[in-house]
Amino acid sequence: EPEVTQTPSHQVTQMGQEVILRCVPISNHLYFYWYRQILGQKVEFLVSFYNNEISEKSEIFDDQFSVERPDGSNFTLKIRSTKLEDSAMYFCASERESAGNEQFFGPGTRLTVL
Amino acid sequence: ELKVEQNPLFLSMQEGKNYTIYCNYSTTSDRLYWYRQDPGKSLESLFVLLSNGAVKQEGRLMASLDTKARLSTLHITAAVHDLSATYFCAVDASPQKLVFGQGTRLTINP
């Protein structure tokens, strides 16, 4: 069964460093998402991406964040200068088409900022 | 702004018992999702509810949606230990954004 994959599973970085989190969505899906979950808290929407551009973003997704689909398979989230409060689990999700189809989530990348 | 609230946030129950988790949301939406999350793991899709009155069942879990009341329920029948997990409801705030509830941490004791 097709699934969303994410790498790395765990990333440790120093405050101020740039990180890139990678996702490979399900191959025939058209909509891509990033969410984050701070330990023990709820899942929060960051950004949605369709047709090579951002569809919607939350207030968390400030100019330190960017997303890219550099080729036909990968979908990346970049944090330019990490802060301690960026420590969280980051989930990528993909969806075949909008309007009611379910989003399938990847296994997540645990980001730890020291 | 859409708010999604789950109740209860923590639930400890005995095997064999029945219980219900409630999910209320603040603005109109016709689409609601239930996910399961095991500790340190990702979100597993359980149910997609797309219309008022929708009811779906899988094993010991049954989910329903009342869009007029802005309420969804996840009912657990004759709980077993394997159902211990955190359960999240999520509502479409727009076609491409899910807003999640706080999660209900369910512990089922033998």
Side-chain angles (χ1 to χ4, degrees):
Chain A
E1 186 176 325
E3 57 184 23
V4 177
T5 60
Q6 290 184 244
T7 55
S9 56
H10 192 189
Q11 172 95 47
V12 181
T13 190
Q14 295 290 325
M15 190 169 55
Q17 295 297 303
E18 175 183 286
V19 295
I20 297 176
L21 310 183
R22 291 183 166 81
C23 168
V24 178
I26 296 172
S27 63
N28 62 346
H29 284 193
L30 302 176
Y31 295 83
F32 314 112
Y33 306 84
W34 285 100
Y35 292 82
R36 80 171 186 190
Q37 185 181 32
I38 295 170
L39 186 63
Q41 298 188 23
K42 68 178 181 180
V43 179
E44 299 174 289
F45 169 81
L46 292 178
V47 66
S48 60
F49 191 85
Y50 170 70
N51 200 25
N52 282 319
E53 60 183 29
I54 290 174
S55 305
E56 191 165 352
K57 59 183 181 179
S58 71
E59 54 276 8
I60 302 168
F61 194 90
D62 61 23
D63 56 9
Q64 292 301 308
F65 290 85
S66 62
V67 289
E68 197 176 38
R69 189 155 159 83
D71 53 42
S73 58
N74 290 286
F75 179 51
T76 62
L77 174 69
K78 182 194 289 187
I79 309 174
R80 284 186 190 55
S81 178
T82 49
K83 302 189 280 284
L84 294 175
E85 53 266 37
D86 292 328
S87 294
M89 183 75 97
Y90 288 80
F91 292 107
C92 172
S94 72
E95 183 178 0
R96 188 175 62 197
E97 55 186 85
S98 192
N101 275 275
E102 58 186 300
Q103 296 181 20
F104 292 87
F105 283 76
T109 293
R110 182 170 297 284
L111 176 64
T112 303
V113 182
L114 303 175
Chain B
E1 182 188 337
L2 173 62
K3 293 191 187 318
V4 180
E5 296 200 351
Q6 289 182 233
N7 176 34
L9 300 184
F10 298 92
L11 178 55
S12 180
M13 53 194 290
Q14 296 289 322
E15 276 192 328
K17 300 289 188 185
N18 304 333
Y19 211 81
T20 301
I21 299 170
Y22 297 89
C23 174
N24 287 93
Y25 53 99
S26 60
T27 63
T28 302
S29 176
D30 289 332
R31 292 183 289 275
L32 189 138
Y33 308 81
W34 284 96
Y35 289 90
R36 168 183 171 145
Q37 185 180 41
D38 291 299
K41 303 291 186 183
S42 186
L43 296 155
E44 175 192 352
S45 178
L46 295 175
F47 299 108
V48 180
L49 302 170
L50 298 177
S51 61
N52 186 40
V55 177
K56 290 197 175 178
Q57 181 160 6
E58 180 75 34
R60 299 173 189 276
L61 301 178
M62 184 173 71
S64 66
L65 177 62
D66 181 343
T67 57
K68 294 190 173 110
R70 299 177 190 161
L71 171 69
S72 179
T73 60
L74 180 66
H75 187 72
I76 302 145
T77 302
V80 292
H81 179 70
D82 286 353
L83 291 179
S84 295
T86 299
Y87 292 86
F88 290 94
C89 64
V91 178
D92 267 340
S94 62
Q96 294 165 4
K97 171 184 174 181
L98 291 181
V99 176
F100 283 78
Q102 313 97 308
T104 296
R105 187 177 297 179
L106 175 64
T107 303
I108 298 168
N109 304 303

